[in-house]
Amino acid sequence: KKLELYVKQNGHCSIPIDHPELGHFANNTRREYKRYQTDPEASSLTTERIEQLNELGFVFDPRKHEWDTKMKKLELYVKQNGHCSIPVDDQILGIFARDTRREYKRYQTDPETSSLTTERIEQLHELGFVFDPRKHEWDAKM
């Protein structure tokens, strides 16, 4: 019932780990879900429980959820503006672009340490994301 109340009050079921009442529950549920995916018998989750959580929109993978949310905002930005040059002062996409560029540099030197994957890089390329704004600006002027 607390989870249902949270969804009603917040409009989503992406529980932060530090939530005072549900954080521990969410963290354990996500861990059990990962276990369920590899060995359902070893997990305390059941198909029925997973269905109940899915009905509420429970976020099993917060990092993937955050990526998907930001990509939707980026797609909308490109659709509205016709380009993918995010202004630095954009509070959400500006930070996302900065962090993504940092992760791209990390990916180029050691892909294992980066949160970017080949699939994510391809998604960004398809939108025309600029990984190196200085080079992009230089090339545009030359």
PDB file of all heavy atoms in Angstrom, residues 15 17 35 48 74 78 87-88 105 110 119 131:
ATOM      1  N   ILE A  15      11.690   4.922  -7.251  1.00  0.00           N
ATOM      2  CA  ILE A  15      12.002   5.179  -5.842  1.00  0.00           C
ATOM      3  C   ILE A  15      13.505   5.393  -5.673  1.00  0.00           C
ATOM      4  O   ILE A  15      14.297   4.521  -6.016  1.00  0.00           O
ATOM      5  CB  ILE A  15      11.582   3.984  -4.947  1.00  0.00           C
ATOM      6  CG1 ILE A  15      10.198   3.484  -5.301  1.00  0.00           C
ATOM      7  CG2 ILE A  15      11.735   4.328  -3.478  1.00  0.00           C
ATOM      8  CD1 ILE A  15       9.069   4.392  -4.995  1.00  0.00           C
ATOM      9  N   ILE A  17      17.025   5.454  -3.721  1.00  0.00           N
ATOM     10  CA  ILE A  17      17.573   4.586  -2.668  1.00  0.00           C
ATOM     11  C   ILE A  17      17.495   5.253  -1.306  1.00  0.00           C
ATOM     12  O   ILE A  17      17.304   4.584  -0.292  1.00  0.00           O
ATOM     13  CB  ILE A  17      19.031   4.200  -3.002  1.00  0.00           C
ATOM     14  CG1 ILE A  17      19.056   3.317  -4.241  1.00  0.00           C
ATOM     15  CG2 ILE A  17      19.705   3.495  -1.848  1.00  0.00           C
ATOM     16  CD1 ILE A  17      20.439   3.028  -4.762  1.00  0.00           C
ATOM     17  N   ARG A  35      18.636 -11.012  -9.573  1.00  0.00           N
ATOM     18  CA  ARG A  35      18.800 -12.425  -9.241  1.00  0.00           C
ATOM     19  C   ARG A  35      17.756 -13.271  -9.969  1.00  0.00           C
ATOM     20  O   ARG A  35      18.057 -14.333 -10.499  1.00  0.00           O
ATOM     21  CB  ARG A  35      18.677 -12.613  -7.723  1.00  0.00           C
ATOM     22  CG  ARG A  35      18.969 -14.027  -7.256  1.00  0.00           C
ATOM     23  CD  ARG A  35      18.938 -14.136  -5.744  1.00  0.00           C
ATOM     24  NE  ARG A  35      20.087 -13.423  -5.202  1.00  0.00           N
ATOM     25  CZ  ARG A  35      20.092 -12.802  -4.027  1.00  0.00           C
ATOM     26  NH1 ARG A  35      19.021 -12.801  -3.263  1.00  0.00           N
ATOM     27  NH2 ARG A  35      21.168 -12.174  -3.601  1.00  0.00           N
ATOM     28  N   GLU A  48       4.280 -13.240 -10.190  1.00  0.00           N
ATOM     29  CA  GLU A  48       3.129 -12.440  -9.743  1.00  0.00           C
ATOM     30  C   GLU A  48       3.580 -11.118  -9.132  1.00  0.00           C
ATOM     31  O   GLU A  48       3.015 -10.056  -9.423  1.00  0.00           O
ATOM     32  CB  GLU A  48       2.317 -13.243  -8.720  1.00  0.00           C
ATOM     33  CG  GLU A  48       1.088 -12.507  -8.230  1.00  0.00           C
ATOM     34  CD  GLU A  48       0.319 -13.313  -7.193  1.00  0.00           C
ATOM     35  OE1 GLU A  48      -0.317 -14.309  -7.587  1.00  0.00           O
ATOM     36  OE2 GLU A  48       0.380 -12.930  -6.002  1.00  0.00           O
ATOM     37  N   LEU A  74      16.138  14.637 -25.197  1.00  0.00           N
ATOM     38  CA  LEU A  74      17.053  15.031 -26.261  1.00  0.00           C
ATOM     39  C   LEU A  74      16.385  14.895 -27.631  1.00  0.00           C
ATOM     40  O   LEU A  74      16.508  15.779 -28.480  1.00  0.00           O
ATOM     41  CB  LEU A  74      18.331  14.181 -26.197  1.00  0.00           C
ATOM     42  CG  LEU A  74      19.452  14.556 -27.155  1.00  0.00           C
ATOM     43  CD1 LEU A  74      19.909  15.997 -26.933  1.00  0.00           C
ATOM     44  CD2 LEU A  74      20.620  13.594 -26.983  1.00  0.00           C
ATOM     45  N   VAL A  78      15.780  17.940 -30.306  1.00  0.00           N
ATOM     46  CA  VAL A  78      16.196  17.898 -31.715  1.00  0.00           C
ATOM     47  C   VAL A  78      14.989  18.142 -32.622  1.00  0.00           C
ATOM     48  O   VAL A  78      15.082  18.887 -33.601  1.00  0.00           O
ATOM     49  CB  VAL A  78      16.889  16.558 -32.045  1.00  0.00           C
ATOM     50  CG1 VAL A  78      17.110  16.399 -33.540  1.00  0.00           C
ATOM     51  CG2 VAL A  78      18.206  16.435 -31.296  1.00  0.00           C
ATOM     52  N   PRO A  87      22.482  24.054 -25.433  1.00  0.00           N
ATOM     53  CA  PRO A  87      23.083  25.183 -24.721  1.00  0.00           C
ATOM     54  C   PRO A  87      23.574  24.747 -23.335  1.00  0.00           C
ATOM     55  O   PRO A  87      22.941  23.933 -22.669  1.00  0.00           O
ATOM     56  CB  PRO A  87      21.941  26.191 -24.578  1.00  0.00           C
ATOM     57  CG  PRO A  87      20.774  25.625 -25.285  1.00  0.00           C
ATOM     58  CD  PRO A  87      21.069  24.218 -25.663  1.00  0.00           C
ATOM     59  N   VAL A  88      24.699  25.287 -22.931  1.00  0.00           N
ATOM     60  CA  VAL A  88      25.294  24.929 -21.643  1.00  0.00           C
ATOM     61  C   VAL A  88      24.362  25.267 -20.485  1.00  0.00           C
ATOM     62  O   VAL A  88      24.337  24.572 -19.479  1.00  0.00           O
ATOM     63  CB  VAL A  88      26.653  25.665 -21.464  1.00  0.00           C
ATOM     64  CG1 VAL A  88      27.283  25.352 -20.124  1.00  0.00           C
ATOM     65  CG2 VAL A  88      27.585  25.310 -22.589  1.00  0.00           C
ATOM     66  N   LYS A 105      34.733  10.276 -23.661  1.00  0.00           N
ATOM     67  CA  LYS A 105      36.209  10.297 -23.561  1.00  0.00           C
ATOM     68  C   LYS A 105      36.691   9.085 -22.787  1.00  0.00           C
ATOM     69  O   LYS A 105      37.678   8.447 -23.162  1.00  0.00           O
ATOM     70  CB  LYS A 105      36.682  11.586 -22.889  1.00  0.00           C
ATOM     71  CG  LYS A 105      36.577  12.797 -23.769  1.00  0.00           C
ATOM     72  CD  LYS A 105      37.034  14.045 -23.044  1.00  0.00           C
ATOM     73  CE  LYS A 105      36.807  15.279 -23.903  1.00  0.00           C
ATOM     74  NZ  LYS A 105      37.155  16.516 -23.202  1.00  0.00           N
ATOM     75  N   ASP A 110      38.952   3.556 -22.212  1.00  0.00           N
ATOM     76  CA  ASP A 110      38.688   2.291 -21.513  1.00  0.00           C
ATOM     77  C   ASP A 110      37.175   2.053 -21.445  1.00  0.00           C
ATOM     78  O   ASP A 110      36.528   2.462 -20.475  1.00  0.00           O
ATOM     79  CB  ASP A 110      39.296   2.327 -20.109  1.00  0.00           C
ATOM     80  CG  ASP A 110      39.187   0.994 -19.396  1.00  0.00           C
ATOM     81  OD1 ASP A 110      38.729   0.002 -20.007  1.00  0.00           O
ATOM     82  OD2 ASP A 110      39.562   0.930 -18.211  1.00  0.00           O
ATOM     83  N   GLU A 119      25.679   0.789 -28.215  1.00  0.00           N
ATOM     84  CA  GLU A 119      24.291   1.096 -28.580  1.00  0.00           C
ATOM     85  C   GLU A 119      23.935   2.538 -28.238  1.00  0.00           C
ATOM     86  O   GLU A 119      23.283   3.235 -29.024  1.00  0.00           O
ATOM     87  CB  GLU A 119      23.323   0.143 -27.878  1.00  0.00           C
ATOM     88  CG  GLU A 119      23.452  -1.298 -28.304  1.00  0.00           C
ATOM     89  CD  GLU A 119      24.582  -2.049 -27.580  1.00  0.00           C
ATOM     90  OE1 GLU A 119      25.019  -1.622 -26.485  1.00  0.00           O
ATOM     91  OE2 GLU A 119      25.050  -3.064 -28.123  1.00  0.00           O
ATOM     92  N   PHE A 131      29.966  15.250 -29.871  1.00  0.00           N
ATOM     93  CA  PHE A 131      30.805  14.750 -28.780  1.00  0.00           C
ATOM     94  C   PHE A 131      31.968  15.688 -28.474  1.00  0.00           C
ATOM     95  O   PHE A 131      32.466  15.695 -27.359  1.00  0.00           O
ATOM     96  CB  PHE A 131      31.345  13.348 -29.113  1.00  0.00           C
ATOM     97  CG  PHE A 131      30.292  12.284 -29.038  1.00  0.00           C
ATOM     98  CD1 PHE A 131      29.647  11.852 -30.179  1.00  0.00           C
ATOM     99  CD2 PHE A 131      29.953  11.722 -27.819  1.00  0.00           C
ATOM    100  CE1 PHE A 131      28.663  10.870 -30.101  1.00  0.00           C
ATOM    101  CE2 PHE A 131      28.970  10.751 -27.738  1.00  0.00           C
ATOM    102  CZ  PHE A 131      28.330  10.319 -28.888  1.00  0.00           C
TER     103      PHE A 131
END
